[in-house]
Amino acid sequence: MKKIFTTILSFLCCLGAFAEKNVPHVEVTMPFHKGVNLSNWLEPWYGLSVSSNFFGRQDFEDMKSIGVEIVRVPIHFEAFSSKDPDFIIDEKLWKIIDETVAWCTELKLYMIIDMHNDCNGNTKTRPDVEKMLNKIWPQIAERYKNSSEYVLYEVHNEPHFKSGNLNADIDKWGKIQGRILKLIRTIDTKHTVIVGAENWNNIEALLKLPDYKDDNIIYNFHDYSPFFFTHQGAAWTDLKNIKNIPFPYDKDKMPPFPNNESPSVKQLYKNYELDSSEEVLCKPLNDAVNFANKRKVALMCNEFGVDMTHPDNQERINWYRLKNKWMDERNIIRISWDYKASFGIFNTGSLSQQFPQDVNVDLIEAMGYKMPKNIQPRTAGWLNNSFENGEYKIFRNTLAKNILPISYLNGGKSTAAFDAVSENNELCISIPEAKPYEALRLDFLGAEDFTSLVNSGLSLEFEVKTTQKDFKLDVYFMDKEDSSKGKDGLEWRCKISLGPKDKVNDGKWHKIKVPLNDFEDYGAWSNSMNRWFPGEGLFKWNKVCQLVIDFSDNGQNKEVCFKNIVIK
């Protein structure tokens, strides 16, 4: 019996060795292997200012402490530039990148300066993108050519021309990228450059990229497969009604297919067992590895992840464990999307999540990270960190920590500037123009309890200046309704209004002071039901999420400025 057991064991070991031997392995290695994306920071479709303090040195220390080796910083350079024809980058953006480079160098943490630009699902890459890249990349390369080896460049995130001829688009981008790479090399031959393919950094398109004859590049792709699992329930996809999908596929756990879904979604449901199999998911990885080895370059997947909103937490962890395992076996550098937000490593998708207490420990362990020992929970929240000089600061020369500015102005064509200079050298918030009902939202990154502020008789104070003749403004605090109230997700408002009677439209600064007790219950708007709910006394001061400056039914065609927004 012992002899039979030994024989079987030897046979199984041989099978294991044979299987392991047949997993291709990228031959070119780099001094980093795993990392995260820092989304929601320098991407202005979220309305962020370049003066935003959403990430600081402590965040980089936290990431380093769990084992992150490289961070990718998505930056919409074009939006933070003078636009056509010169695309001069705003000096304030350079200041933030300079600071980030310094932190990463000190911490020996690699970072990617990623030319991200707008890549929402309904967009397409501008046909003349090369004109813009020809102006911006020399500025980047010149500024960082003498920086440490911890800096990497990424030519362009997810190009997608959408001309209707995919092969032509793939070929077009491959040639453009080659010319931009040569342009960078005329200035900087030191730093590693990341290149990727058309069709949203598609892995199949990667195999059609030209050989750029550069021995200091990394070929890159993105991987959100199987999409039916990773984006289930995502509001920006056709899968918004698909929820509770297991991974790996389990017939007994599959939910019934929802009624009235499109044929394409029905086909994804039908194919999910095959599409989620290891054989199907790993074949593109193997093809990419073989391609990289032929080119003698390193290989990276610098976006992969699962939206946490609808999958079961354990099913999501299963996906990360397997994906990371498969990429590690193949020596593919992996950088997950993202750190915070709905694809992040924290327990919810809220941007208010705190390190270390809110980290999803089981998830990061599945990703090959480890929580440091004996680390103390941090003091969280705007209220606990904003009091100084007898006031609770929201904006005075700069935004307070734990305030995330969100705006959608002029139909999305502009954002608020949080660093305009007023007459006495104080910084102010400048709103260039706004369409009716557009707003500037100052998010507290979580629910804050204002009860003690209200009971103490404190007031909201701010200064405003405009020359808009028909100036109207609604200023309100907003909360979230409890699910137990039957109107889950409604944003209840408590507001004050400014108008012609207040006479603040003479181009001079006017100080506004309103006791919190004078704010009036107003109501809530439901996007899902497309209706307005009148005030029902449901606004609660103990769960304030945002301070909103709403430009009412008039909008603004003249600049309006704000400064010194505090509660005192």
Side-chain angles (χ1 to χ4, degrees):
M1 178 64 72
K2 182 177 179 181
K3 184 176 181 180
I4 294 173
F5 175 78
T6 303
T7 303
I8 293 173
L9 182 62
S10 299
F11 175 72
L12 291 175
C13 289
C14 288
L15 279 180
F18 178 81
E20 186 173 278
K21 184 178 180 181
N22 280 271
V23 173
H25 184 271
V26 179
E27 295 165 0
V28 176
T29 61
M30 300 297 289
F32 46 81
H33 189 73
K34 57 185 182 291
V36 294
N37 276 269
L38 304 187
S39 65
N40 290 280
W41 189 14
L42 299 175
E43 302 165 86
W45 67 52
Y46 296 102
L48 302 188
S49 161
V50 292
S51 63
S52 171
N53 58 10
F54 183 55
F55 284 107
R57 182 189 171 95
Q58 184 62 59
D59 297 291
F60 289 84
E61 292 179 2
D62 293 341
M63 289 182 273
K64 178 77 174 181
S65 74
I66 67 172
V68 169
E69 298 163 353
I70 182 169
V71 294
R72 181 173 181 246
V73 184
I75 308 169
H76 289 205
F77 279 98
E78 181 183 0
F80 294 128
S81 75
S82 61
K83 309 294 194 311
D84 284 316
D86 298 321
F87 296 96
I88 304 300
I89 303 302
D90 192 319
E91 190 61 35
K92 293 176 284 294
L93 176 62
W94 289 131
K95 182 179 178 181
I96 288 181
I97 302 174
D98 290 350
E99 194 171 44
T100 306
V101 168
W103 292 336
C104 288
T105 300
E106 292 166 11
L107 295 169
K108 297 182 179 180
L109 184 65
Y110 290 86
M111 69 168 285
I112 300 169
I113 297 176
D114 164 32
M115 169 75 72
H116 207 76
N117 279 23
D118 191 354
C119 58
N120 277 320
N122 294 324
T123 67
K124 65 178 180 180
T125 299
R126 52 187 291 169
D128 63 344
V129 64
E130 188 170 4
K131 177 178 70 173
M132 178 264 294
L133 296 175
N134 274 328
K135 294 292 185 179
I136 292 180
W137 267 113
Q139 296 177 68
I140 300 171
E142 187 64 43
R143 193 171 188 99
Y144 298 109
K145 65 182 180 181
N146 296 319
S147 61
S148 74
E149 71 273 18
Y150 293 99
V151 173
L152 295 86
Y153 304 143
E154 183 172 352
V155 174
H156 197 295
N157 173 71
E158 295 190 343
H160 50 285
F161 290 116
K162 294 185 178 179
S163 71
N165 186 332
L166 180 58
N167 286 330
D169 289 343
I170 290 172
D171 181 65
K172 176 182 177 180
W173 171 250
K175 292 175 180 176
I176 290 173
Q177 184 167 239
R179 291 191 289 268
I180 298 302
L181 178 60
K182 287 183 178 179
L183 176 62
I184 293 171
R185 290 304 185 215
T186 64
I187 302 168
D188 184 347
T189 58
K190 170 182 176 181
H191 290 99
T192 301
V193 179
I194 297 165
V195 297
E198 226 277 344
N199 199 21
W200 310 85
N201 285 152
N202 176 270
I203 195 167
E204 285 81 13
L206 176 76
L207 308 180
K208 300 178 181 180
L209 280 178
D211 187 346
Y212 293 123
K213 307 295 183 181
D214 188 312
D215 61 3
N216 193 18
I217 61 175
I218 300 174
Y219 279 64
N220 170 63
F221 63 92
H222 293 174
D223 184 5
Y224 291 97
S225 62
F227 192 79
F228 193 70
F229 175 75
T230 64
H231 284 67
Q232 59 183 286
W236 63 93
T237 72
D238 293 335
L239 304 179
K240 58 180 68 69
N241 298 319
I242 303 299
K243 300 173 184 177
N244 303 314
I245 303 300
F247 186 87
Y249 173 85
D250 185 329
K251 181 180 179 180
D252 295 332
K253 291 183 179 180
M254 286 294 289
F257 186 72
N259 294 325
N260 303 318
E261 285 296 329
S262 67
S264 61
V265 174
K266 186 174 182 179
Q267 192 66 35
L268 287 174
Y269 183 92
K270 181 180 178 181
N271 293 346
Y272 181 61
E273 180 178 6
L274 177 62
D275 291 345
S276 63
S277 67
E278 180 174 351
E279 180 182 4
V280 168
L281 293 174
C282 286
K283 184 183 183 303
L285 301 181
N286 294 341
D287 292 342
V289 170
N290 292 330
F291 173 79
N293 285 339
K294 287 180 181 178
R295 296 285 175 88
K296 295 181 172 55
V297 295
L299 183 64
M300 169 184 287
C301 174
N302 71 19
E303 279 193 31
F304 70 103
V306 181
D307 186 341
M308 72 176 72
T309 311
H310 297 288
D312 174 80
N313 180 55
Q314 186 56 54
E315 303 289 353
R316 184 170 180 251
I317 290 171
N318 292 343
W319 186 92
Y320 278 97
R321 181 177 289 110
L322 284 173
K323 281 285 182 176
N324 288 306
K325 173 180 178 289
W326 295 334
M327 285 192 272
D328 288 351
E329 288 172 344
R330 291 160 175 80
N331 194 31
I332 299 172
I333 302 159
R334 51 180 172 86
I335 305 176
S336 63
W337 186 274
D338 46 10
Y339 183 59
K340 289 192 173 183
S342 65
F343 284 76
I345 69 168
F346 292 84
N347 283 313
T348 73
S350 169
L351 299 178
S352 64
Q353 295 299 288
Q354 297 293 315
F355 186 96
Q357 58 264 42
D358 298 321
V359 172
N360 186 332
V361 176
D362 292 337
L363 175 67
I364 68 164
E365 289 180 351
M367 298 171 72
Y369 300 119
K370 187 175 182 179
M371 288 299 294
K373 295 180 179 179
N374 303 320
I375 185 169
Q376 295 299 312
R378 309 270 167 73
T379 302
W382 167 82
L383 198 60
N384 289 326
N385 292 288
S386 65
F387 188 78
E388 57 182 57
N389 300 322
E391 65 186 23
Y392 293 89
K393 177 178 127 177
I394 297 174
F395 178 92
R396 190 184 286 279
N397 282 314
T398 185
L399 285 163
K401 186 171 177 58
N402 293 95
I403 296 288
L404 180 67
I406 305 170
S407 64
Y408 184 87
L409 302 167
N410 191 25
K413 296 178 181 178
S414 64
T415 58
F418 290 82
D419 41 25
V421 180
S422 66
E423 290 82 350
N424 56 358
N425 290 323
E426 291 179 307
L427 296 185
C428 65
I429 303 171
S430 170
I431 310 293
E433 57 183 310
K435 295 186 181 302
Y437 301 112
E438 291 184 340
L440 169 67
R441 297 170 179 262
L442 301 176
D443 195 292
F444 294 104
L445 294 181
E448 294 285 353
D449 188 350
F450 276 47
T451 306
S452 62
L453 309 186
V454 176
N455 292 341
S456 298
L458 301 188
S459 301
L460 174 70
E461 295 185 6
F462 61 91
E463 295 180 56
V464 60
K465 180 181 74 169
T466 186
T467 58
Q468 180 86 19
K469 289 184 178 180
D470 56 350
F471 178 71
K472 290 171 64 178
L473 199 70
D474 290 334
V475 180
Y476 54 87
F477 291 96
M478 190 162 67
D479 72 3
K480 290 281 189 181
E481 181 55 275
D482 293 330
S483 58
S484 60
K485 301 292 184 181
K487 297 188 176 75
D488 187 23
L490 289 180
E491 301 170 330
W492 297 98
R493 310 174 186 191
C494 197
K495 77 162 188 172
I496 58 106
S497 297
L498 299 178
K501 62 180 175 55
D502 297 290
K503 299 180 179 179
V504 297
N505 59 352
D506 57 3
K508 299 178 181 178
W509 284 105
H510 293 268
K511 185 174 182 178
I512 306 297
K513 179 177 180 179
V514 184
L516 297 179
N517 274 313
D518 287 356
F519 279 74
E520 298 180 351
D521 184 51
Y522 182 48
W525 172 259
S526 170
N527 284 323
S528 61
M529 291 180 273
N530 195 34
R531 59 168 290 197
W532 176 261
F533 289 88
E536 302 176 29
L538 293 175
F539 175 84
K540 301 298 182 185
W541 281 111
N542 65 352
K543 51 183 179 180
V544 174
C545 295
Q546 290 185 356
L547 172 64
V548 181
I549 298 173
D550 189 311
F551 294 96
S552 188
D553 55 352
N554 281 355
Q556 290 284 131
N557 55 33
K558 299 280 188 178
E559 181 187 40
V560 58
C561 297
F562 302 91
K563 67 178 181 178
N564 300 333
I565 307 173
V566 299
I567 294 176
K568 60 187 294 187

